[in-house]
Amino acid sequence: GCPLTCNLEAYECFLRGLEFFAHRTASSNAQAREMFERAIALDPDFAAAYARLGRACMIDWTYQWDTSPTLPKQVETLARRAVELDDMLPGAHQTLAYVHLARKEFDQAVTEAERATALDPNDADSCVTLAEVLSCAGFSPRALDLVQKAMQLDPHYPPSYLFALGQVHYLNHSYEEALTAFRRVLTRNPEHERAYFFIAVILYELGQQEEALAALAAGQHLLTQRLVFRAPARVEGGEGGLHIDRGDGLALLPEGAEQRHQSQIGRAHV
């Protein structure tokens, strides 16, 4: 059989989409979505393109680069279409895992992520997906092994792997290691505002308030540049840690941090 698709033009669009997808910026993610949509138009049975389009849409929703209220449902439709077309495709189960994670359906998310790694234990993206799901579900020690395995499998890993590494270290209370990982994210992707917010929280916990506020300001500058958010962030320090209230009721940091800081920080990882 043909790997992924027999349509060479569709496959070329898919590969270009993967390149854009790895950058994790609003503009590159929009380009990735366009490429995956073109691939699907050229081959309506291209399961991997559906799966990656779903991931790109999920990132847009998580980072609020696209605030369409129908987007979460669209992601689920794409993920289930990918599974329908090829139930043996790890990427299809990765996307479905993130759909469940966004709904805080942790058992289902773990099941889908485990399915992805079972299909291909040496697929780096599957390892990272399972790591992020497990860290949200409270199994951070195992998650660290998975992220490190992914980095070994793909020595040219994207910045998102470093971000996942930082999250896992953070949830393991390894703050210095987490700080190093998030700073490495910014060397690869200076526009990664979530890395700035994690850095801000960690620095605050380490007693470096001025540095924390500087990191927060840098992250907020990226937000205002994109003109997506209607309200400025408010920062308050207290016994519970650094409270970051963006002002519109939406989350800035992931689920595990919310449970530990009593802050508004709860969207899923992608």
Side-chain angles (χ1 to χ4, degrees), residues 104 253-266:
K104 301 182 182 180
L253 302 179
E255 182 73 22
E258 179 180 11
Q259 297 168 353
R260 301 212 353 250
H261 290 283
Q262 301 177 353
S263 305
Q264 296 180 8
I265 46 181

Side-chain angles (χ1 to χ4, degrees), residues 101-124:
L101 187 59
R103 296 174 175 171
K104 301 182 182 180
E105 298 169 349
F106 298 118
D107 289 344
Q108 296 95 317
V110 171
T111 296
E112 291 298 335
E114 292 274 19
R115 171 70 170 154
T117 56
L119 287 169
D120 186 353
N122 292 320
D123 181 82

Side-chain angles (χ1 to χ4, degrees), residues 18-184:
L18 291 180
E19 292 179 8
F20 289 125
F21 179 78
H23 292 303
R24 289 294 197 279
T25 66
S27 60
S28 66
N29 207 59
Q31 291 172 301
R33 285 178 63 172
E34 181 181 353
M35 288 296 103
F36 295 142
E37 287 168 353
R38 287 186 188 179
I40 291 170
L42 291 164
D43 180 358
D45 295 326
F46 195 168
Y50 283 98
R52 284 294 178 171
L53 178 58
R55 286 285 303 281
C57 290
M58 179 64 81
I59 288 172
D60 270 348
W61 175 254
T62 301
Y63 285 74
Q64 292 297 289
W65 295 335
D66 185 338
T67 57
S68 170
T70 63
L71 198 57
K73 183 61 178 177
Q74 180 182 346
V75 173
E76 181 182 7
T77 299
L78 290 165
R80 296 198 181 282
R81 177 57 175 159
V83 171
E84 177 185 342
L85 288 168
D86 188 354
D87 185 53
M88 301 297 289
L89 181 70
H93 295 280
Q94 293 167 24
T95 303
L96 197 52
Y98 284 117
V99 169
H100 288 300
L101 187 59
R103 296 174 175 171
K104 301 182 182 180
E105 298 169 349
F106 298 118
D107 289 344
Q108 296 95 317
V110 171
T111 296
E112 291 298 335
E114 292 274 19
R115 171 70 170 154
T117 56
L119 287 169
D120 186 353
N122 292 320
D123 181 82
D125 280 350
S126 292
C127 290
V128 171
T129 298
L130 181 56
E132 293 189 318
V133 169
L134 289 174
S135 65
C136 285
F139 301 99
S140 296
R142 183 185 172 199
L144 180 58
D145 292 337
L146 286 162
V147 176
Q148 292 172 337
K149 178 182 178 180
M151 291 177 165
Q152 293 174 351
L153 289 169
D154 182 3
H156 303 290
Y157 54 81
S160 58
Y161 285 22
L162 287 169
F163 187 77
L165 179 64
Q167 291 179 135
V168 172
H169 277 310
Y170 177 79
L171 294 174
N172 274 334
H173 304 268
S174 301
Y175 298 134
E176 294 291 351
E177 290 85 350
L179 190 60
T180 297
F182 289 125
R183 283 173 169 164
R184 289 177 64 195

